[in-house]
Amino acid sequence: THTHTHMASATDPGALTVHVPGSFLSLQEAIDHVKVTTVQTGAQHVIIKVAATTDIKGGRLTNMNNVTIEGAGIAETNLSSQIFVENCSDIVLRNFSIRGANDGLKLVSSRVVVEDCRLEAQSNGVWVGGSSVKGDITLRRCYLGGTKEQPVHWAIFLYGTDSNTMLLEDCEVEFSTNGVTVYLNNTLRMQGGLVHHCAEAVFCSGNSDTTLDAVTLEENNQVLKKQNTSKVSLYDCSFHNNQCPDPVANPDDNLEVESMPPKAAGKLN
């Protein structure tokens, strides 16, 4: 089985499209093919289109730029192992699911946009590490979590040696021990979306800076656990049926809460 390659339309003359049939066992063959082909053609942007499939392994992108991996839809294209991205810029991942893998996405020292993906992992839905020298991580309209029977450990784990920045737009986090976890000097902003059925919806440590803006948190054991000098800001968030009595054991100057609904003003439950 071979990939099919052709130059894209005149609207993006520098782009190259590689079609991966559902019979492929792994994305790695297509990724390796792209590395060779881009050198031969001088293409500035490569799109790897993955057909509908229930079981194709992920792959590893290293030192690559301007690559898009696009599935046929979250219900149509399912990967059975992680995608690992390291030292890359302008990587776009969209329209597929990763189910059954230990880790969904592992993003190290890279600039990545993830759109319309479903990441059901066992350990980490998305793990971000390394240095922020390449740029930011953005997730839009993604679902991250495990199952009721087997929750994921960390749906989102933001852990880097340098200041990584992560933006979540209209994402859903569910069935996780630690839903959104931010460590060290990293910055996370969650706009819209939902965090529910987690042991700890948000866990912050180190000198991290976390903002939740118009996020709904419901049916969690604990809304927020904050350690060290981490900063947390909650704006216009909604809280429903959470078990925890308070957002933090000992609130301090690094917790900022504004425009909370009356029900949540005292006990956040």
Side-chain angles (χ1 to χ4, degrees), residues 26-28 31 48 50 56-62 67-71 77-86 88 91-99 101-108 112 114 117 119 124-127:
S26 170
L27 285 183
Q28 195 62 52
I31 293 167
I48 299 175
V50 189
I56 184 171
K57 292 182 179 178
R60 184 174 185 134
L61 290 83
T62 307
V67 176
T68 296
I69 297 178
E70 183 172 317
T77 301
N78 181 67
L79 309 185
S80 59
S81 64
Q82 74 172 8
I83 291 181
F84 190 114
V85 182
E86 185 174 22
C88 295
I91 305 299
V92 178
L93 309 172
R94 65 162 67 105
N95 292 339
F96 59 81
S97 295
I98 299 179
R99 290 191 178 95
N102 188 46
D103 297 319
L105 301 177
K106 196 164 188 178
L107 312 175
V108 179
V112 184
V114 186
C117 286
L119 306 167
N124 298 284
V126 175
W127 188 95

Side-chain angles (χ1 to χ4, degrees), residues 229-250:
T229 56
S230 57
K231 179 183 176 184
V232 179
S233 303
L234 306 173
Y235 302 120
D236 297 313
C237 291
S238 302
F239 305 83
H240 306 286
N241 299 322
N242 299 291
Q243 298 300 312
C244 55
D246 295 293
V248 208
N250 297 296

Side-chain angles (χ1 to χ4, degrees), residues 107-110 127-133 135-137 156-167 180-190 202-212 226-227 229-233:
L107 312 175
V108 179
S109 302
S110 297
W127 188 95
V128 178
S131 166
S132 64
V133 66
D136 304 333
I137 306 293
I156 295 167
F157 195 94
L158 182 53
Y159 183 93
T161 54
D162 195 5
S163 301
N164 290 280
T165 299
M166 190 172 190
L167 173 64
V180 179
T181 302
V182 190
Y183 270 97
L184 302 178
N185 296 312
N186 298 293
T187 299
L188 181 140
R189 182 177 182 90
M190 186 171 185
V202 181
F203 178 87
C204 305
S205 186
N207 293 313
S208 60
D209 188 341
T210 302
T211 301
L212 271 61
K226 195 177 83 64
Q227 296 179 343
T229 56
S230 57
K231 179 183 176 184
V232 179
S233 303

Side-chain angles (χ1 to χ4, degrees), residues 176-180 195 198-203 220-223 225:
S176 178
T177 304
N178 298 110
V180 179
V195 183
C198 296
E200 293 172 353
V202 181
F203 178 87
N220 301 290
N221 291 354
Q222 187 168 359
V223 167
K225 185 174 181 180

